[in-house]
Amino acid sequence: MTLPITVDFETHAIEPRPNYPPVPVSVAILEEGRKPEFLSWGHPEGNNCTKTEAKKRLRKVWRHPDGLLFHNSRFDLDVAETHLGLKPPPWHLIYDTLLESFLFDPNLPVLSLKPLAEHLLKEPPEEQDHLRDWAVANIKEATTRNFGAFISKVPASIVEPYAVGDVKRTLALHKYFLKKGFYSRSEAYERERRLMPVLLDMERRGVPIDVEHLETETRRAEKALQHCDRWIFKRLGCGEFNLNAGQQLADALDYAGLVRKWEYTKPTKRHPEGQRQTTSESLRKTLTDETLIDVLEYRSLLRNQINTFALPWLEMGQSTGLVYPSWNQVRQYGAKGAMGARTGRLSSSPNFQNIPMHLKKIWPRRKKGHLHIPFSHNPDFGFIDLRAHVVAPRGRKLFDLDYSQQELRILAHFAGGNLVKLYNDDPHVDLHTYAQKMIGKDFSRLQVKTTGFGIIYGMGLKKLSKTLGIEYEAARELRDAYREIFPGMAALEKRLIKAEGCETWGGRVNDIEVIPAKNGTENGWATKGIPLPHKLLNTLIQGSAADCTKEAMIRYAEDDTHEGELLISVHDELLGIAPTRTTPRAMRALKRAMESVRFEVPMVVDGKSGKTWRACK
């Protein structure tokens, strides 16, 4: 097999959109059997060409019949097109070792180029040391942690070994995966490569928000948060402390004499007896003051809305009215920690995936199922309706479609038996209601639903009983009854554990997940771990659901019969935008794309359109 040309750009520091992608200053090129090239035009000294000359050479590279190879192709292709006018080749001529490494082993803890090459190829990044030392010694702002952001300020002669080392590693990794039979998983690789330009278009397009109204709502919410803090300190009869620090809160609750008996976290080396749990769920069993519990829960939910969603959206959207999510296609680690999912589910930064669909209502009097907030008569209190602030501009409309029971239908696909028959007999059947009817007794639909998903997610009996609010033995009885109703489900679990792995609908192979041991590492890589075979069903179902949604996104993006564009993917849900007059056609096209993904049971899609994301729900 002939090999593609490997390319890697060095750029100015990376900033969020709209100032992304960063301006390139040099590029390394490696063609198999030839000496590596390093073209530099933007470093402070030692450059060997002009930007025009580099662009001329890159045009020839971009036309190479065997394609281009990158580690994180979305970044390099965006840089090349935005700043050098080089349009991306067709997807089948783009290769990416970031995607290859994820498909090779989704449980690898790090997919960054240098640590990945050191782990798999035993090649330490020694040339990085000289660049780091020069940057720290000569650039005031540079440190041993952030020196990579200052590559554009380092002389080309020092950057060259670093950049050439990266293209050599990238090509070596590509060859390593080829030798390991990587192309036996070509279906999954093709899907990820086809998805890459779709995600790039979504990143460039951005998500329109109503900045003015979201800013007003956020300021109101921040005032409510401050009022909560003052009320809590007064209720506890103590001075101010960090309410976000769990153990400081626990100390204050002990001091106020409000604790029946603490629940503790699992023991650790640092905390051999565990730590006092201050989650809302634990406090409901621990505290004697129900109103305080409600106020603490309200505060926690409101703070999450402000810090996780509203403020990041406003920070990015302030100047343009657009939030530009960066989509995590695979599991990896960055400056902010873990990003993406081993199951292949998409996530984004800023976050659009985990917006709570239903928040408890707040009420000035105690009412079952509501949060009793004694000061809620104040108009400042309430939650931020985040989806109401995603707003289509004039002349355009949003549309939102999501799969009905996507994970349960995929479970039926793999488990077979009466699950398949149920969905084929009635594509709109409510599986939870059916299961509740078959189980009988006094279990509610919600308890039965929670049990079904608990089995899929690998939830233990102790946690299941806690979540359901019933005794341990009752939880066991319910779980066993659920498995008896759908015998194919239990048989599937046993097959997966016996096989010690699974292959998703989209052809991605996952072995038993290993949780790294904290005390067994070598160069940041785990040398010991804990296998989790009970998570395989979750890996199979969620992984296949991710494949399904990705395939639907690709089919929609490659369909030229509509004027709609994708904005957001939230697991089984896709949000798009189109000119108002053509929105119905765009919706039909998306529904067609989503329902055309074939399983043993029909996939059913529901949706609405409107001026705001809220109106679509």
Side-chain angles (χ1 to χ4, degrees):
M1 175 182 289
T2 53
L3 295 169
I5 292 184
T6 310
V7 180
D8 182 46
F9 284 100
E10 304 301 337
T11 69
H12 283 279
I14 297 175
E15 298 179 52
R17 293 185 192 274
N19 300 318
Y20 180 97
V23 175
V25 293
S26 55
V27 64
I29 303 167
L30 178 58
E31 188 171 356
E32 177 72 354
R34 297 182 64 177
K35 184 180 177 181
E37 299 174 68
F38 180 69
L39 306 176
S40 62
W41 61 91
H43 293 277
E45 58 182 81
N47 295 307
N48 59 12
C49 69
T50 65
K51 182 178 177 180
T52 301
E53 289 169 339
K55 185 175 175 180
K56 183 177 179 181
R57 171 67 181 121
L58 285 166
R59 279 202 198 99
K60 290 183 179 179
V61 171
W62 248 238
R63 294 195 295 266
H64 194 274
D66 295 318
L68 305 176
L69 173 66
F70 307 91
H71 190 84
N72 191 5
S73 57
R74 204 171 348 138
F75 172 80
D76 292 283
L77 290 170
D78 200 2
V79 167
E81 183 172 16
T82 302
H83 297 294
L84 299 172
L86 299 167
K87 291 191 175 181
W91 69 265
H92 64 276
L93 292 176
I94 299 170
Y95 300 85
D96 191 329
T97 49
L98 176 63
L99 301 178
E100 290 173 5
S101 58
F102 174 70
L103 295 174
F104 175 72
D105 183 358
N107 293 316
L108 288 170
V110 183
L111 300 183
S112 300
L113 177 61
K114 290 178 180 65
L116 187 66
E118 185 171 8
H119 177 66
L120 295 178
L121 307 176
K122 311 303 178 189
E123 294 182 6
E126 294 173 351
E127 69 280 359
Q128 176 179 269
D129 299 344
H130 185 41
L131 186 150
R132 180 195 60 226
D133 294 344
W134 190 97
V136 171
N138 294 276
I139 301 172
K140 184 178 178 181
E141 303 89 348
T143 68
T144 54
R145 285 181 169 271
N146 71 2
F147 70 93
F150 300 95
I151 284 180
S152 63
K153 297 182 178 181
V154 178
S157 59
I158 296 174
V159 175
E160 181 173 359
Y162 175 92
V164 168
D166 278 357
V167 288
K168 285 182 175 179
R169 283 183 190 85
T170 303
L171 182 59
L173 280 170
H174 183 65
K175 291 162 79 171
Y176 174 87
F177 294 132
L178 286 174
K179 287 179 182 177
K180 293 290 184 178
F182 176 78
Y183 277 96
S184 63
R185 305 174 192 178
S186 59
E187 176 193 356
Y189 191 33
E190 286 183 6
R191 180 173 297 106
E192 298 297 341
R193 289 192 292 161
R194 287 168 65 202
L195 180 67
M196 185 276 298
V198 178
L199 296 179
L200 179 54
D201 283 345
M202 289 167 63
E203 288 182 345
R204 290 170 166 175
R205 186 172 300 124
V207 178
I209 62 168
D210 185 338
V211 172
E212 183 180 350
H213 286 96
L214 179 57
E215 195 166 36
T216 301
E217 280 282 278
T218 304
R219 300 296 165 256
R220 176 197 59 74
E222 288 176 327
K223 284 174 61 180
L225 199 62
Q226 292 168 5
H227 190 103
C228 274
D229 290 356
R230 290 192 296 269
W231 186 93
I232 293 166
F233 294 140
K234 185 176 179 180
R235 189 80 163 195
L236 292 174
C238 65
E240 294 186 8
F241 63 92
N242 183 3
L243 279 165
N244 306 318
Q247 297 314 295
Q248 288 188 37
L249 174 60
D251 288 341
L253 293 170
D254 272 332
Y255 176 81
L258 299 175
V259 183
R260 293 192 193 94
K261 183 181 178 182
W262 283 110
E263 288 190 335
Y264 286 85
T265 60
K266 290 181 180 179
T268 64
K269 192 173 183 179
R270 187 175 178 183
H271 302 285
E273 295 180 1
Q275 289 187 292
R276 293 162 293 180
Q277 291 196 22
T278 55
T279 63
S280 297
E281 184 182 3
S282 292
L283 290 180
R284 295 227 168 260
K285 300 176 182 178
T286 300
L287 300 190
T288 57
D289 189 334
E290 291 187 38
T291 300
L292 176 60
I293 298 170
D294 282 354
V295 174
L296 285 168
E297 183 173 350
Y298 168 68
R299 181 190 182 277
S300 175
L301 293 169
L302 189 62
R303 182 172 175 270
N304 178 58
Q305 283 198 314
I306 294 169
N307 294 337
T308 305
F309 302 101
L311 289 180
W313 292 7
L314 285 170
E315 182 182 359
M316 183 172 280
Q318 200 73 49
S319 60
T320 63
L322 293 169
V323 178
Y324 297 94
S326 175
W327 291 96
N328 305 310
Q329 190 170 354
V330 299
R331 175 78 166 184
Q332 54 186 316
Y333 285 79
K336 296 183 179 180
M339 302 178 294
R342 289 189 181 93
T343 58
R345 273 186 163 183
L346 292 171
S347 67
S348 69
S349 178
N351 194 337
F352 279 92
Q353 276 63 51
N354 301 313
I355 302 172
M357 179 61 73
H358 302 291
L359 290 169
K360 290 183 180 178
K361 291 183 179 180
I362 60 174
W363 207 254
R365 298 183 302 279
R366 184 152 303 286
K367 188 175 180 181
K368 188 176 180 181
H370 291 57
L371 294 174
H372 168 43
I373 309 297
F375 42 81
S376 62
H377 58 277
N378 188 318
D380 283 340
F381 288 88
F383 293 110
I384 305 172
D385 190 350
L386 292 158
R387 287 181 176 81
H389 298 291
V390 176
V391 181
R394 187 174 181 180
R396 296 173 75 77
K397 208 170 183 181
L398 299 172
F399 54 97
D400 182 283
L401 286 86
D402 61 348
Y403 283 106
S404 169
Q405 303 181 58
Q406 184 192 43
E407 291 183 341
L408 294 173
R409 292 172 193 273
I410 291 172
L411 171 66
H413 168 84
F414 286 106
N418 60 340
L419 273 168
V420 170
K421 187 176 187 308
L422 275 169
Y423 278 118
N424 281 321
D425 288 349
D426 179 5
H428 298 277
V429 66
D430 185 321
L431 196 67
H432 309 304
T433 302
Y434 172 84
Q436 181 197 18
K437 183 179 178 181
M438 295 296 293
I439 292 171
K441 297 197 174 181
D442 297 322
F443 296 117
S444 69
R445 179 185 179 278
L446 179 60
Q447 288 176 321
V448 172
K449 176 181 177 179
T450 302
T451 301
F453 282 117
I455 295 171
I456 292 174
Y457 299 151
M459 187 185 293
L461 271 174
K462 186 176 180 180
K463 185 173 181 180
L464 181 62
S465 65
K466 197 173 180 180
T467 304
L468 296 176
I470 59 178
E471 295 297 323
Y472 184 90
E473 286 305 319
R476 181 195 296 278
E477 181 186 355
L478 178 53
R479 191 180 70 174
D480 290 347
Y482 199 100
R483 283 175 168 150
E484 284 179 19
I485 295 171
F486 306 117
M489 192 175 185
L492 174 61
E493 288 180 277
K494 290 177 183 177
R495 289 200 306 272
L496 293 174
I497 292 171
K498 185 177 180 181
E500 297 188 345
C502 65
E503 182 174 334
T504 68
W505 172 87
R508 290 186 294 114
V509 175
N510 291 268
D511 295 326
I512 284 179
E513 182 181 346
V514 174
I515 297 296
K518 292 182 180 179
N519 59 350
T521 60
E522 180 181 341
N523 296 323
W525 291 75
T527 55
K528 296 179 181 178
I530 307 165
L532 295 173
H534 66 284
K535 293 288 186 182
L536 277 172
L537 183 61
N538 175 52
T539 300
L540 175 66
I541 303 305
Q542 279 202 24
S544 297
D547 295 340
C548 172
T549 300
K550 287 178 176 180
E551 182 66 29
M553 293 170 70
I554 293 164
R555 293 183 185 187
Y556 182 70
E558 293 178 353
D559 180 354
D560 59 4
T561 65
H562 61 85
E563 297 177 57
E565 298 168 328
L566 291 175
L567 294 180
I568 301 172
S569 169
V570 186
H571 307 322
D572 62 350
E573 171 189 354
L574 294 173
L575 179 72
I577 191 169
T580 302
R581 60 182 176 78
T582 63
T583 299
R585 187 192 312 157
M587 284 187 70
R588 288 194 297 271
L590 182 55
K591 181 179 173 68
R592 184 168 62 245
M594 294 173 74
E595 292 185 339
S596 69
V597 184
R598 301 308 305 164
F599 289 85
E600 291 298 318
V601 299
M603 302 303 286
V604 174
V605 172
D606 301 308
K608 293 180 181 178
S609 64
K611 287 298 292 183
T612 70
W613 194 3
R614 166 58 60 208
C616 298
K617 297 304 293 178

